[in-house]
Structures are given as C-alpha cells and as structure tokens.
C-alpha cells in the first residue's frame, strides 16, 4: 500500500488507516498535507517519499530507502538526528523534521547523505511541522508523552534555511495536526475541534479564527486543495469537509472508527 507506515495516508480516493487507532498517538499520526507524488500524507507522518527515496524516522534516526526498484526497496543510509524525533515533512530537496526540542532542517539534495542545515529550537513539547513557501507552522502541545507545558502555534520564517527565525507564537488549546490550503491554515486543536485561520499574511493569525467546527475532537488533517477537501481524523473516526468556502467548512461524511 502506498504510504504505509504514516499512520494516515490518502491515495487517490482512498484513506488508509492502521487497524488500531488512537487519537493520542501523537507523532505516530498524520503530519499536514504532504504532496509526495505517490499519495498525500499528514503533518504527523513518520515517513515520506521524495525523489524515488523513502525517508522514515524512529525516535533518534532518519532512515533512507532507495525505491528505484519498487519490488525490492533497499535501506541505503541511516542518519543520527537527535532525540525525541517525531515527524518528517518534505519540501524537495529538503526535509523538515519535528522533534521534542525543535525543528531540524536537512538538505537531501544527495538523497543518500542528508545534511543538517539548521535546528530551530523551542520549548520541550510535541512538535508537528507544516511548511508552506517560506513559512513553517509548528504546533507545540503538552501531554504525558510530550513532557512539555506549552500549547501554541509557532510561525517560523524559513526563507533562510540555515537561519530559521521565529516570527510569532500564538496560544492554542492543545494543537496537533495542521495543513495549509489556499491561504488558509487548518489546525486540529484536539477537544476544541478543527480551526481555520487566514494565513494570506502570517500576521492575520492573530485576528483569530475565520471558522471553527467544534462538535468533535480533531487530531490530524489532510487537505486536498484541488478537490476543495479536508480529511480530518479524530477518536470518533474520519470526517470529510468541503472547504471551497473556508469560512464555512461543510461536513460531507463521517466514517466511525472503533
């Protein structure tokens, strides 16, 4: 199955989930919509595919697999990253790796020898990452597995990949998965549901939500802009929303997950 191992994956019109589901899976969930050419992952993904190579993480390492022979992929390299590694997000030829202590930026121009360019450090917390152009959105949350005490959205300027700069932090309830589509940020704020922010300029986030769906717990989201669709995962299952009008997301369906 394309996208196996990410915990949530969309391939064409199919969503793949593990046979055991927990909304508290933290980084072992989605990591915001990652277009890889073989499917779409979320902002909490622990693996991604870029330029015929698969990149996967455990708690401390980045593993590189050569997919040029799809029938027999080979592990080609292992890179020691740090500790508390949680998520990986690709913006070719770079990898943005979320960890308990910060966001690591790697240059994978040579797929078999990813090189660290920078580390954007933040408070101890769980750390999904989504990158849109020159802006990285990082959600920080507390919880037993995260060992942290902050709940916020960090907006980071990554126009210089070697010197990422914090632009602003915005307090949230308990933010987890994130995605961006058509100048709108879709943020899963756990028990407070799905929140939508205008990010046509990052300063707009401070003006508050443009919409919110608050009648369910949301943990991760994949957006498919070409289809005006957001797929949101939570402990109650999978929900699809029409996001043609981001100010009024319209629920299309719900698939319960036990």
């Amino acid at each position: 199955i394309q996208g196996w191992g990410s915990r949530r994956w969309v391939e064409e019109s199919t969503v793949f989930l593990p046979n055991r589901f927990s909304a508290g899976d933290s980084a072992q969930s989605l990591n915001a919509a990652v277009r890889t050419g073989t499917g779409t992952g979320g902002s909490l993904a622990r693996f991604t595919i870029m330029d015929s190579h698969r990149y996967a993480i455990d708690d401390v390492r980045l593993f590189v697999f050569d997919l040029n022979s799809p029938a027999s992929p080979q592990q080609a390299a292992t890179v020691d990253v740090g500790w508390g590694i949680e998520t990986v997000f690709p913006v070719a030829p770079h990898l943005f790796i979320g960890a308990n202590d910060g966001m690591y930026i790697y240059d994978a121009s040579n797929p078999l020898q990813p090189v660290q360019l920078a580390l954007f450090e933040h408070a101890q917390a769980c750390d999904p990452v989504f990158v849109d152009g020159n802006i990285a959105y990082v959600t920080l949350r507390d919880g037993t597995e995260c060992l942290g005490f902050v709940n916020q959205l960090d907006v980071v300027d990554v126009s210089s990949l070697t010197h990422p700069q914090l632009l602003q932090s915005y307090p949230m309830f308990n933010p987890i998965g994130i995605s961006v589509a058509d100048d709108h940020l879709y943020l899963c704020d756990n028990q407070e549901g799905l929140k939508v922010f205008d990010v046509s300029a990052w300063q707009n986030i401070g003006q508050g939500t443009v919409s919110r769906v608050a009648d369910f717990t949301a943990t991760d989201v994949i957006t498919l802009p070409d289809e005006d669709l957001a797929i949101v995962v939570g402990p109650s299952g999978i929900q699809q929303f029409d996001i043609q009008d981001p100010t009024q997301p319209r629920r299309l369906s719900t698939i319960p997950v036990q």
Side-chain angles (χ1 to χ4, degrees), residues 80-97:
D80 291 326
V81 177
W83 61 274
I85 304 304
E86 298 182 319
T87 63
V88 57
F89 187 99
V91 180
H94 300 101
L95 298 170
F96 294 79
I97 299 175

Side-chain angles (χ1 to χ4, degrees), residues 10 15 30 220-224 229-233 238-240:
V10 176
V15 178
L30 289 171
D220 206 358
V221 56
I222 292 174
T223 56
L224 305 176
L229 186 67
I231 301 172
V232 186
V233 177
I238 308 165
Q239 304 197 45
Q240 295 188 94

Side-chain angles (χ1 to χ4, degrees), residues 79-163:
V79 179
D80 291 326
V81 177
W83 61 274
I85 304 304
E86 298 182 319
T87 63
V88 57
F89 187 99
V91 180
H94 300 101
L95 298 170
F96 294 79
I97 299 175
N100 289 163
D101 62 343
M103 175 182 66
Y104 293 80
I105 302 175
Y106 273 76
D107 183 349
S109 299
N110 181 343
L112 301 185
Q113 294 182 324
V115 176
Q116 182 177 326
L117 298 179
L119 167 61
F120 169 74
E121 295 184 274
H122 57 57
Q124 180 76 18
C126 288
D127 174 10
V129 175
F130 189 97
V131 180
D132 182 44
N134 290 327
I135 300 294
Y137 300 95
V138 182
T139 59
L140 308 182
R141 72 184 186 279
D142 61 12
T144 302
E145 76 278 13
C146 306
L147 304 176
F149 300 95
V150 296
N151 290 283
Q152 65 191 41
L153 172 69
D154 280 356
V155 181
V156 183
D157 182 351
V158 292
S159 55
S160 171
L161 293 173
T162 56
H163 295 90

Side-chain angles (χ1 to χ4, degrees), residues 44 62 65 116 119 126 160 162 165 168 203 205-206 215 227:
L44 304 181
L62 173 67
F65 296 85
Q116 182 177 326
L119 167 61
C126 288
S160 171
T162 56
Q165 300 292 321
Q168 188 67 50
Q203 297 91 337
I205 298 174
D215 61 350
E227 301 176 32

